[in-house]
Amino acid sequence: MKALQFKRNLPRYAAARIAGSFTPGRGGTVGPLRLTNLEAPEMPGPDWVQVRPRLSGICGSDLATIDGRSARYFEPLVSFPFVPGHEVVGDLTDGTRVVLEPVLGCVSRNLDPTCPSCAAGHLGNCQHTTFGNLEPGIQTGSCHDTGGGWATAFAAHPSQLHPVADALSDEEAVMIEPTACGVHAALKAQGAATIAVLGAGTLGLVTIAALRAQNPELTILATARYPHQRRLAAELGADHVVAPQEIRRAARRHTGSRAISRSTDDGAVDRLSGGVDAVVDCVGSSESITDGLAITRPGGRIVLVGMPSQVSLELTPLWHREIQLIGAYTYGTETAADGTPVRTFDLAADLVSTADLGQLVSAVYPLNRYQDALEHAAGAGRRGAVKIAFDLRSEKERDQL
Amino acid sequence: MNSNADPYKTSNKHLAPRPGFVLDVDRTSPPILFHHGDQFKLEKLPAGRSRVIYPPEPLEGLADPEGAIRHALANPIGDSEPLAALLRPDMKLTIAFDDVSLPLPPMRRPDIRQRIIEAVLDLAAQAGVDDVHLIAALAIHRRMTEDELRHAVGDRVYDAFAPSGRLYNHDAEDPDGMVVLGETPHGEDVQFSRRAAESDLVVYVNINIVSMDGGHKSTATGLSGYTSLRHHHNVHTMRNSTSFMDQKNSALHASNWRMGEVIRDAGVKIFQIETTINNNTFGRTGPLSVLQKREWEWNAKDRASFIAMQKGLEVLPSKARRKIFSSWQAPYEMTSIQAGEVEAVHEITTANVFKQQSVAVEGQTDILTMGLPYICPYNVNSIMNPILVMCLGLGYFFNMYRGKPLVREGGVLIMSHPTPWEFHPVHHPSYIDFFEEVLADTTDPIEIERKYEKKYAEDEWYIHLYRNSYAYHGVHPFYMWYWGSHALQHLGRVIVVGGDPAAVQRMGFQSASTLQDALEMASDVVGPQATITHVKNPPIFMSDVT
C-alpha cells in the first residue's frame, strides 16, 4: 500500500521546523514525512472496515505537524509512526462511498462505558483519546493503528463513517469534515447579531457559510488577506470583507462603537468601546486573538477555531470586559433549533451541497507529488487557492489492494 | 478701497513683476521642475506639442500693512459705516477669522490675521467694548492647536483671550452653540454659530489665497456646520460649478450667496475684512527661491542649489522631509485690504486675486500635467493622504480656470505625487475608514454620497473626535472626493506618476512609474500626438482659457 508516513525522528523534525519557517510546507521535503510502501493496516477490531480514499484533504493542522510547528500538547495524543489525513472521502470494499468522521472516541476504542462526552454525543470532547484498544491518537490521521487518509487504504470503525449521497461529488464530500468544524463553531457563536470571522482560509470560509445558513439576518464581518478569499467570503455570506489590519475600524463602523486609543495623541484604534457580539477566530495567532479581544463587546464571546499553538496575549480585556474565550475543536452532536440532537456531519453535508462548498477544492495532487501538494497547501492564500487535496482515485496501488 | 488707489502702496522695490507666461516647449527647452510631494523631479516634455504655464511673478506688497489696515477700517466700501462707528460699549462683538487652511504654506509672522485683529481690538477697546469673542471659523475642519492659533492671532491676542475662553475654535457640532437662521428659496437650511448670530456685530478677518475664498462663503460656510454644508458641498453642486474658482459660474458660490442673504435678513450684521496676498510662496531669495523661477532662467547657483536640495531630500526619510517642509513659512506680502459690506468688498478682493493670479491661455489641451506639492488646505502640519492628493489635483488644480477647463473633455490628467498609503490618524480618522471602506466599494461620487455620506456625517465617534481632538469631521473626506467630482466626470483618464500603485488603484486611477510611461498610457485615450499642457504650480495661478 502506498502511504505518506510520519515517523518520530527528531533531527528531521528540527530540519522541518527550519525549512518550514523559510518556506511554509517545505517541511514535507526535509522532515519526517516520507512516501513509502506499507502493509495494508490490520483491522484493530472485529467490526472495523477498510477504507480506500478517493480524495484526502490537507488540513492546517497537518501542515503544522509537517513543518514542525505543532504544539507539544499533542505529543501524548499521537502514536508513531502514523499516516496523516483525516479529511477523507473514500470507498468501502463493497463500493459504498463514505466520508470519515475521524475522531477516535470511546466507541471506536471499544470502551464501555463511554466517557460522559461521548455519551452525550460530543465526540470531539472524548476524554479517552489515549486509552482503550487503540494506540493514542485523537483522530484518524494521528494514530498508528488506524492509518490515515494520505494512503491508498486505512482502517475505520463503522461509527466513524457516513455514507455519501450520490448527488454529492467527491470534491463536495471531502469538504464535509472541514465544514463540520465550521458548523460546530458557528453554533458555538449562536445568539449573536453581529459576528466577525477572522481569516478566510478553508475554516473561515466554511464558518461564514455556516453562520449565514444559520441566521440570514446576522451581520457578518470578515477578514481576508487575498482577493479570491474576499470574493469567496462575500459569496458565502459575509456582509463586509476587509483586510486583517482593517478589522478594528470596520468593526467600529458597523457596530456604532467608539474607539479607544492607548495614547490620545496617536489616533490608533487600540480597542472599541463596544464591538461585535462574537468573534470566530479562524487564524489562531497572537495577532488575531488580540484583534478579537479588541473588537468584542463587553460580555461577548470569542470562538477559537484556528489552532492557536503558543501565543502571547494581553488578557486584561478578557478580564475587564468579561469576554468568553472558548474553543471549537471539532464536531459530534449538536442541538437543533427544535431541541433535537443532530449530527454535525449531517448538517455539514447539507451545507456543502446548498452552499456549493465543493468549489473550495482548488487543486488535487497524486501522492507522489506530495511535496508540491504540501507547499501549495501552505501557500494556498497567496497562490489563489483554498483547499488542496490528494487525489487517490488513480493510484494503481489502490486497485491492487 | 480699491488697491489701485491705495495710498500705502510704495513704488516697486523689485523689478516690475512679469505676468504669467505660456511657454511652447521646443528642443531647446530645459527640463521642467515638477513638484512631487516633498520631493522634486525634472521632466523633459515632448517638444512641439507641449506648453508650460508659468504663474505671474509676485506683485509688490503694501509697504505699510498696519497703515493700510487702519485706513480700510476707517474707510469701508459698500453700504457700511466705518468700523469705529459700529462699536459701542454694551455690544456683543464677535471676530471670526480664517483657519489653519489659509494661506498655504503658512505665512511668516506676523500673520495678516494678527495685524487686523489687533487693529480691530484697538478700536473695540477705544469704544469700550467688553464682550468680545474670537472664533476660528473652521466649519468642519479640524480644530487649530494652541501653536496654530498663536501663529494666526499673535501671542498678545491669544494670551488676552484664550485663557478666559473668549478665543476658541468654532464647534459645528455643539448642540447649544448652533442655530438655524432660516432657509433659502432653494430650501437650503442656514445653520450658523449661535454666538455670531446673537452678536451685534460680526467682524470677519479673511486671507484670500484663491478666488473661491471670502465673500459670503467666509461666514455662511466658516461659521456653519453639516446642516448647511450638505446643501452645497455635494456632488451636484460641484459638477455644476465650472469652476468653483469662478464666482459667476459657481453653484457653490451661488448657494453661499443665498445663505448670506438669509444671514443678513436674520439681522446678523457683518463687517467683512478681506485681504489678498501675492504669490511670493518660496521667496525671492533663500533656499526655495529656485522653485519660483522659470527653468531657462536658472543660473549656475540655482542649478546647484536645486540639485543639492533634490539629492538631500532623496536620502532623507519621509518623516524628515515632511518636517522640513512643514516648517516652511512663506514670505507673502499683503497686496490689498478692503473692508465693509460683504459683497462690495469681495468684488474688489476677487479682482485683486485675479490681478496676481490670472494667466491668459489659448485653447484646451489633450493632456494636463501637474506636479503636486507636499501641502494642500487640509494637511497643514499633517500628512498628505491619498484622498487629499486626489482633492488637490482634481479638486483644486484642475479647477484653477475661468472659461473652460485647461484639458478638454475626455482628456487625460497626469499628476506627479508619491501618494503614499498613509494617513494622519489624529487629523484624518474618517479618511482612513473612507479609504478602507467606501473607496473599496465604489469611487463613483454619486454612489458614495447616496450610500455612505449620512452614516459618516452622523457617526458619534467622528463627532467626538472633531469636537474634542483634532480630527476633521467625519464627512470631510466625502467633500474632498466630491471636490474632484467635476474633474472625474470631465476626464477620460487620471494617471499618477510615481504613486503607490495600491493607493492609486484604490482611487480608480492608473499609476505610472515615469512621466514617459504616463504619456504613453495617455496616448491610449488621446492618441500619440496629443497636446500637453503643464501647469507650473505652485505658486498658484488661474488660467483664463479662451
Side-chain angles (χ1 to χ4, degrees):
Chain A
M1 156 184 111
K2 198 179 199 177
L4 285 166
Q5 190 182 46
F6 195 94
K7 292 183 176 178
R8 184 191 292 275
N9 184 322
L10 290 180
R12 283 187 176 276
Y13 194 77
R17 190 178 180 87
I18 293 167
S21 67
F22 287 106
T23 308
R26 186 62 62 82
T29 306
V30 299
L33 187 74
R34 283 290 177 270
L35 182 61
T36 184
N37 278 309
L38 301 174
E39 292 297 320
E42 291 180 17
M43 296 301 110
D47 48 353
W48 284 65
V49 295
Q50 188 183 75
V51 179
R52 286 180 295 170
R54 296 175 66 84
L55 292 179
S56 193
I58 300 172
C59 172
S61 61
D62 296 327
L63 292 170
T65 302
I66 285 158
D67 277 344
R69 290 184 287 109
S70 58
R72 299 198 66 180
Y73 171 89
F74 290 111
E75 286 177 7
L77 303 179
V78 298
S79 47
F80 293 95
F82 65 86
V83 177
H86 59 273
E87 300 173 355
V88 187
V89 53
D91 296 319
L92 302 181
T93 50
D94 66 1
T96 306
R97 201 161 54 122
V98 294
V99 290
L100 173 73
E101 184 169 353
V103 173
L104 293 167
C106 291
V107 173
S108 50
R109 291 179 178 280
N110 197 27
L111 291 168
D112 188 16
T114 61
C115 72
S117 299
C118 285
H122 302 311
L123 301 184
N125 301 140
C126 176
Q127 298 164 28
H128 292 154
T129 51
T130 57
F131 306 103
N133 285 355
L134 299 176
E135 288 285 304
I138 52 176
Q139 56 186 15
T140 303
S142 63
C143 174
H144 167 72
D145 288 353
T146 62
W150 295 2
T152 48
F154 66 92
H157 189 271
S159 65
Q160 293 182 281
L161 301 174
H162 300 257
V164 180
D166 290 342
L168 284 187
S169 66
D170 289 338
E171 284 73 15
E172 288 173 310
V174 80
M175 286 302 301
I176 290 177
E177 193 278 343
T179 300
C181 293
V183 169
H184 183 62
L187 289 166
K188 290 220 168 197
Q190 212 165 26
T194 305
I195 286 186
V197 178
L198 306 184
T202 304
L203 274 179
L205 293 171
V206 298
T207 301
I208 290 167
L211 287 165
R212 179 52 70 218
Q214 181 183 297
N215 182 359
E217 304 299 319
L218 185 66
T219 298
I220 303 174
L221 309 180
T223 65
R225 196 175 291 281
Y226 303 102
H228 73 288
Q229 293 179 337
R230 296 175 72 97
R231 177 181 58 78
L232 285 166
E235 285 178 9
L236 292 172
D239 298 288
H240 310 282
V241 188
V242 299
Q245 66 272 19
E246 297 174 358
I247 187 60
R248 297 186 189 196
R249 287 182 174 275
R252 191 208 67 77
R253 291 193 298 267
H254 294 292
T255 59
S257 303
R258 293 186 179 189
I260 298 169
S261 307
R262 287 194 188 89
S263 163
T264 53
D265 296 330
D266 65 11
V269 179
D270 290 316
R271 62 179 185 270
L272 305 185
S273 59
V276 297
D277 299 317
V279 165
V280 182
D281 182 346
C282 300
V283 180
S285 66
S286 299
E287 293 76 17
S288 67
I289 302 172
T290 301
D291 277 343
L293 289 165
I295 65 172
T296 304
R297 66 163 170 78
R301 176 177 297 185
I302 299 173
V303 181
L304 210 51
V305 188
M307 190 171 74
S309 191
Q310 290 190 11
V311 296
S312 174
L313 285 177
E314 159 71 77
L315 282 177
T316 310
L318 186 83
W319 164 78
H320 176 237
R321 294 154 74 85
E322 298 193 333
I323 293 169
Q324 299 176 57
L325 178 62
I326 62 173
Y329 161 51
T330 57
Y331 27 73
T333 306
E334 315 290 351
T335 303
D338 62 3
T340 57
V342 55
R343 294 295 293 270
T344 323
F345 259 55
D346 292 337
L347 295 172
D350 289 343
L351 183 61
V352 162
S353 177
T354 56
D356 187 22
L357 297 182
Q359 64 173 312
L360 301 185
V361 178
S362 307
V364 295
Y365 288 81
L367 275 187
N368 59 3
R369 287 189 60 200
Y370 72 95
Q371 292 165 345
D372 292 338
L374 294 171
E375 287 194 31
H376 196 171
R382 59 187 160 76
R383 293 172 66 173
V386 181
K387 173 59 69 183
I388 307 299
F390 289 110
D391 186 349
L392 298 114
R393 291 171 292 200
S394 303
E395 299 283 355
K396 64 181 180 185
E397 290 83 354
R398 183 175 187 270
D399 299 323
Q400 291 169 352
L401 284 167
Chain B
M1 180 183 77
N2 187 313
S3 63
N4 287 333
D6 184 356
Y8 295 91
K9 184 174 280 185
T10 61
S11 62
N12 196 344
K13 38 186 186 194
H14 314 289
L15 292 175
R18 294 177 298 181
F21 176 69
V22 180
L23 169 78
D24 288 320
V25 175
D26 60 27
R27 284 184 300 165
T28 64
S29 302
I32 305 301
L33 184 150
F34 276 52
H35 287 260
H36 186 72
D38 47 26
Q39 296 188 74
F40 303 98
K41 290 184 172 183
L42 286 177
E43 301 283 9
K44 190 85 177 165
L45 291 166
R49 60 188 177 103
S50 304
R51 60 183 179 175
V52 181
I53 310 176
Y54 287 97
E57 292 181 340
L59 298 173
E60 61 178 308
L62 300 178
D64 177 12
E66 273 76 17
I69 291 166
R70 286 194 300 273
H71 183 270
L73 301 184
N75 298 279
I77 55 180
D79 180 21
S80 176
E81 296 177 81
L83 179 60
L86 298 171
L87 302 171
R88 60 178 193 276
D90 59 344
M91 73 183 303
K92 273 187 175 178
L93 171 65
T94 294
I95 302 171
F97 55 93
D98 283 340
D99 77 340
V100 73
S101 59
L102 289 167
L104 299 173
M107 67 170 58
R108 289 181 187 167
R109 287 193 182 212
D111 192 285
I112 289 176
R113 284 163 289 210
Q114 175 188 337
R115 294 175 190 259
I116 296 172
I117 289 170
E118 286 178 350
V120 172
L121 289 173
D122 282 348
L123 290 176
Q126 288 166 24
V129 182
D130 290 328
D131 188 354
V132 182
H133 282 209
L134 286 90
I135 305 176
L138 50 82
I140 58 170
H141 297 168
R142 71 167 172 86
R143 299 187 315 136
M144 293 171 73
T145 64
E146 178 180 334
D147 283 349
E148 290 163 347
L149 284 167
R150 283 184 181 277
H151 184 89
V153 304
D155 290 330
R156 192 160 68 96
V157 172
Y158 187 89
D159 290 334
F161 285 86
S164 58
R166 291 181 296 147
L167 166 61
Y168 48 87
N169 290 293
H170 174 65
D171 181 355
E173 291 289 348
D174 178 1
D176 300 324
M178 300 295 287
V179 291
V180 174
L181 297 178
E183 190 178 291
T184 70
H186 288 62
E188 300 151 315
D189 306 290
V190 181
Q191 189 191 25
F192 206 59
S193 153
R194 180 184 292 279
R195 163 70 199 192
E198 293 176 351
S199 293
D200 298 291
L201 181 67
V202 176
V203 173
Y204 196 93
V205 181
N206 146 288
I207 300 174
N208 256 73
I209 190 169
V210 293
S211 54
M212 185 183 66
D213 304 329
H216 286 300
K217 183 171 175 288
S218 296
T219 45
T221 290
L223 293 173
S224 73
Y226 179 62
T227 300
S228 273
L229 296 174
R230 64 198 167 101
H231 293 296
H232 45 67
H233 279 57
N234 56 51
V235 182
H236 177 81
T237 302
M238 296 307 162
R239 286 186 172 174
N240 286 280
S241 296
T242 55
S243 73
F244 44 66
M245 296 293 170
D246 180 1
Q247 184 182 337
K248 292 184 175 55
N249 290 298
S250 167
L252 175 69
H253 274 80
S255 179
N256 270 290
W257 257 243
R258 289 191 293 270
M259 291 184 175
E261 288 170 15
V262 172
I263 293 168
R264 184 178 58 206
D265 293 346
V268 179
K269 182 157 184 60
I270 295 170
F271 188 85
Q272 184 87 356
I273 305 169
E274 295 193 352
T275 61
T276 56
I277 53 177
N278 62 11
N279 60 8
N280 191 21
T281 308
F282 301 113
R284 294 181 176 87
T285 59
L288 298 185
S289 60
V290 67
L291 303 178
Q292 225 159 264
K293 295 180 181 174
R294 299 168 185 181
E295 288 80 358
W296 70 90
E297 293 174 343
W298 286 8
N299 57 30
K301 187 182 169 194
D302 293 328
R303 290 182 196 287
S305 68
F306 174 77
I307 291 169
M309 178 167 62
Q310 190 181 34
K311 297 297 178 194
L313 289 169
E314 278 176 7
V315 300
L316 288 174
S318 61
K319 272 190 178 176
R321 289 199 298 267
R322 193 179 299 141
K323 193 172 179 185
I324 289 171
F325 279 103
S326 290
S327 67
W328 176 253
Q329 295 178 349
Y332 295 123
E333 294 146 303
M334 189 165 75
T335 54
S336 77
I337 175 167
Q338 36 280 325
E341 187 269 320
V342 176
E343 293 181 20
V345 163
H346 189 64
E347 193 173 339
I348 296 172
T349 303
T350 308
N352 284 327
V353 170
F354 288 139
K355 187 186 293 180
Q356 172 63 85
Q357 296 183 357
S358 288
V359 183
V361 180
E362 198 175 320
Q364 292 179 300
T365 187
D366 298 315
I367 300 171
L368 181 65
T369 63
M370 50 181 65
L372 300 184
Y374 63 96
I375 196 169
C376 83
Y378 315 108
N379 76 316
V380 177
N381 300 320
S382 188
I383 292 172
M384 182 92 150
N385 64 54
I387 298 163
L388 294 178
V389 171
M390 182 275 196
C391 179
L392 181 61
L394 277 71
Y396 280 91
F397 283 14
F398 171 89
N399 278 288
M400 295 298 290
Y401 71 85
R402 284 191 294 182
K404 296 179 285 192
L406 268 169
V407 58
R408 68 168 170 82
E409 189 166 1
V412 175
L413 177 64
I414 297 175
M415 319 189 282
S416 180
H417 192 278
T419 322
W421 188 313
E422 191 179 6
F423 294 82
H424 195 298
V426 173
H427 294 166
H428 301 121
S430 66
Y431 280 66
I432 303 173
D433 288 323
F434 182 89
F435 205 67
E436 289 181 355
E437 181 185 36
V438 178
L439 291 185
D441 180 24
T442 176
T443 57
D444 175 13
I446 294 279
E447 183 72 358
I448 286 171
E449 186 177 52
R450 181 190 66 78
K451 196 169 169 184
Y452 292 103
E453 180 187 303
K454 191 167 188 292
K455 186 177 85 167
Y456 276 65
E458 296 176 354
D459 186 300
E460 279 190 18
W461 184 53
Y462 299 145
I463 290 173
H464 169 80
L465 295 177
Y466 161 78
R467 297 192 66 197
N468 300 289
S469 179
Y470 294 94
Y472 282 84
H473 193 277
V475 81
H476 202 259
F478 289 76
Y479 292 172
M480 297 301 93
W481 199 256
Y482 303 163
W483 224 239
S485 57
H486 173 213
L488 282 177
Q489 191 181 35
H490 182 86
L491 296 166
R493 184 170 291 183
V494 177
I495 302 170
V496 183
V497 177
D500 175 336
V504 170
Q505 187 183 17
R506 173 62 60 93
M507 294 191 287
F509 306 149
Q510 292 187 333
S511 63
S513 51
T514 64
L515 178 64
Q516 190 55 42
D517 289 343
L519 291 172
E520 282 186 25
M521 290 158 69
S523 68
D524 294 343
V525 179
V526 290
Q529 288 303 311
T531 58
I532 300 162
T533 298
H534 178 65
V535 285
K536 182 75 191 304
N537 179 358
I540 292 168
F541 66 86
M542 278 277 287
S543 296
D544 282 324
V545 185
T546 54

